[in-house]
Amino acid sequence: MSQKYIVVSFLEPLENGFNFSCKEWPLHITLLPNFTIKGSLNELINKLGELASIVSAFDVEVGNNERFGPNGEVLVSLIKPNENILSLHNVLVDVAKLYVFDTPQYIGDGYRPHATVQLNNKLIRGQIKNINSITLVDMYPNNDIERRQTIETFKLK
């Protein structure tokens, strides 16, 4: 199994190395969907750190709920697209342009900012949330498909 990663903005602070079940994600907004890297993980970490140092924190507004997935099995709260989140996504895509995405149709023009509704937590339409960090998450820590682990969180300026 290839090592996969994702970039998100957690809506509550988490420490680096936080390990959690794939079924119990902390509430987050997806910024860059699953990808496999080519090259070194340290290079990716350095690129994300450089990016975070030049991107300012910003607010987003929660929109309507919608269903994602092939059969509509994933309930999400859409994030109203604004220039800041779309720009951040596009810069992340540029950073990851040599990587392989599981679902390339959902990056660039196909990106729909969202937060997946969790068992015990969800966003409410009309809420304003501040995006002040980005986190790189390992989708298969120690080759365990049932777990996820934060690698590093980068504060936005």
Side-chain angles (χ1 to χ4, degrees):
M1 174 182 330
S2 296
Q3 199 62 36
K4 295 197 183 284
Y5 303 92
I6 187 171
V7 178
V8 302
S9 181
F10 284 108
L11 299 175
E12 298 170 2
L14 297 173
E15 60 190 45
N16 291 339
F18 180 74
N19 190 292
F20 54 95
S21 163
C22 65
K23 295 178 178 145
E24 296 177 355
W25 274 83
L27 198 57
H28 65 279
I29 295 173
T30 302
L31 298 171
L32 198 61
N34 289 11
F35 59 93
T36 305
I37 66 172
K38 294 184 184 256
S40 107
L41 178 58
N42 284 336
E43 183 180 330
L44 173 59
I45 290 169
N46 290 337
K47 286 180 180 180
L48 291 175
E50 290 170 14
L51 171 66
S53 73
I54 61 170
V55 174
S56 296
F58 58 92
D59 289 338
V60 293
E61 182 179 351
V62 180
N64 293 325
N65 285 348
E66 195 165 305
R67 294 198 168 271
F68 280 14
N71 303 308
E73 66 276 10
V74 180
L75 183 62
V76 303
S77 297
L78 294 175
I79 302 300
K80 292 185 178 180
N82 65 32
E83 183 179 332
N84 292 316
I85 197 164
L86 295 176
S87 174
L88 176 56
H89 168 76
N90 287 327
V91 172
L92 286 166
V93 169
D94 284 346
V95 164
K97 65 182 168 238
L98 299 178
Y99 304 151
V100 177
F101 288 90
D102 288 3
T103 53
Q105 68 271 31
Y106 298 129
I107 62 172
D109 290 342
Y111 174 61
R112 297 185 68 202
H114 66 279
T116 302
V117 172
Q118 302 301 318
L119 291 175
N120 298 315
N121 207 352
K122 65 180 182 177
L123 296 178
I124 306 298
R125 184 177 161 191
Q127 275 183 310
I128 304 296
K129 290 293 183 180
N130 185 255
I131 305 299
N132 58 21
S133 67
I134 59 174
T135 301
L136 179 63
V137 177
D138 185 337
M139 297 298 282
Y140 305 125
N142 301 313
N143 293 315
D144 186 348
I145 197 166
E146 298 296 320
R147 306 296 299 174
R148 305 292 184 259
Q149 185 167 316
T150 61
I151 295 173
E152 191 156 345
T153 295
F154 306 92
K155 289 282 182 199
L156 301 180
K157 74 172 192 163

